[in-house]
Amino acid sequence: MNIEPGKKLFEFSSKQDWIDKANRIWKFHEVRAEQTICIDQRGRICAWGLHFTAAEQDNAYPIEVFMLRADMPTKIN
């Protein structure tokens, strides 16, 4: 299976970085979290807190945040 996410928007360098930024960073990039996908360095999708904790335990940061698809707009409508 080949997965092709859209444009990379930003990344979280650590679990603490996610905790500190998660409430505002999507708005800063003018997208909704639902329009994006978070992927750790092991290629796992991270969708909620337990995933971000597992990435920390597995040394799988940074977690990169991409638009779901390349053909999606990058601004909130």
Side-chain angles (χ1 to χ4, degrees):
M1 177 183 335
N2 184 26
I3 298 173
E4 297 180 26
K7 173 184 171 186
K8 180 179 174 182
L9 299 176
F10 55 91
E11 66 183 35
F12 295 109
S13 61
S14 65
K15 180 182 173 192
Q16 189 61 50
D17 189 39
W18 171 70
I19 291 167
D20 293 343
K21 292 180 181 176
N23 285 332
R24 66 182 187 283
I25 196 161
W26 278 273
K27 184 179 260 187
F28 176 80
H29 287 275
E30 299 181 323
V31 297
R32 293 184 188 100
E34 297 82 17
Q35 295 174 291
T36 64
I37 188 167
C38 302
I39 304 173
D40 73 13
Q41 293 302 299
R42 289 190 173 187
R44 300 176 298 194
I45 295 169
C46 298
W48 55 81
L50 184 61
H51 297 152
F52 288 82
T53 298
E56 180 181 50
Q57 293 168 344
D58 297 339
N59 198 28
Y61 275 85
I63 292 176
E64 298 175 296
V65 182
F66 300 88
M67 291 300 293
L68 280 175
R69 294 172 36 160
D71 60 347
M72 292 181 70
T74 57
K75 302 285 184 197
I76 295 174
N77 293 329

